[in-house]
Amino acid sequence: RGEIEVGIMPSGDARFEGRALYPMSLRAVRPQGHRLGRRPLLEVAELESEPLLLLSRGFASRAWFEAACQIAHVRGRVVLESGAPQTIVALARTGHGIAIVPSPVRIPGDGVRIAPVVHRGTSIGRWTVACWDGRRFFAPYAEFFVKELATSVRRDYPGRDFLRRAPPIPQPRESKS
């Protein structure tokens, strides 16, 4: 409706033009002594019998996880849903299940193991983009803001260290503006 000049969201909405900021992928947080604890990557199929701690519906990462489960013919055993990522991480730390969270979530390393969640070796996720309606006037100050934001997050985007261990997510096509 033209009420917002620039939005920050996962890539893939064809209604908007955008500029890629940083990749986001899913990761599994489980207690240190968990039977899957030493694996560098976790296939979504390996999570079928595990108690899962998931973010509430409405989170993009939840939709990505459910889509991957559907493609892999996996029916997850969800024991808790929460709108607070730190809550499910804390529950995973104390052995109540495996938390599935997006890579930007900050996770203290004590007492947990963290691994990328993949489907057939491919990361599950999307790039985060700064987006705008390409049919409307894009003000020079907004264009400058997007350029500066992209420069800033490329230096230090959320989850950067974690994503070095995950298979890369293809970068979306950049818009001209």
Side-chain angles (χ1 to χ4, degrees):
R1 294 186 318 233
E3 296 173 6
I4 298 173
E5 285 213 41
V6 177
I8 309 298
M9 60 189 268
S11 63
D13 191 326
R15 297 176 298 170
F16 303 107
E17 292 186 26
R19 180 152 185 189
L21 298 176
Y22 57 88
M24 279 195 306
S25 65
L26 295 181
R27 56 186 172 173
V29 181
R30 61 238 187 260
Q32 199 111 27
H34 192 274
R35 69 180 185 84
L36 299 174
R38 293 251 181 236
R39 299 201 185 195
L41 302 173
L42 282 178
E43 283 287 337
V44 73
E46 294 177 289
L47 300 174
E48 185 165 31
S49 63
E50 298 295 327
L52 298 175
L53 308 164
L54 301 180
L55 291 173
S56 304
R57 294 183 194 280
F59 281 86
S61 60
R62 170 73 181 262
W64 304 336
F65 181 71
E66 288 178 343
C69 286
Q70 186 175 15
I71 290 168
H73 304 290
V74 169
R75 191 165 174 192
R77 188 166 59 99
V78 180
V79 295
L80 182 88
E81 298 179 22
S82 175
Q86 296 305 325
T87 298
I88 61 176
V89 167
L91 289 168
R93 176 177 282 111
T94 57
H96 292 283
I98 296 176
I100 306 297
V101 296
S103 53
V105 172
R106 294 195 189 276
I107 300 171
D110 60 316
V112 295
R113 297 261 185 207
I114 305 164
V117 179
V118 297
H119 174 63
R120 295 186 181 166
T122 302
S123 285
I124 301 166
R126 292 234 173 111
W127 274 72
T128 299
V129 296
C131 61
W132 57 89
D133 186 342
R135 299 168 299 171
R136 301 181 62 85
F137 173 73
F138 194 51
Y141 66 83
E143 192 171 341
F144 178 77
F145 170 77
V146 168
K147 180 181 170 201
E148 290 298 311
L149 179 63
T151 299
S152 174
V153 298
R154 290 263 165 87
R155 282 192 308 262
D156 188 30
Y157 59 84
R160 170 186 218 119
D161 294 336
F162 167 77
L163 288 170
R164 290 186 182 130
R165 297 185 285 153
I169 297 172
Q171 188 169 340
R173 179 187 62 78
E174 298 261 328
S175 299
K176 301 275 190 246
S177 297

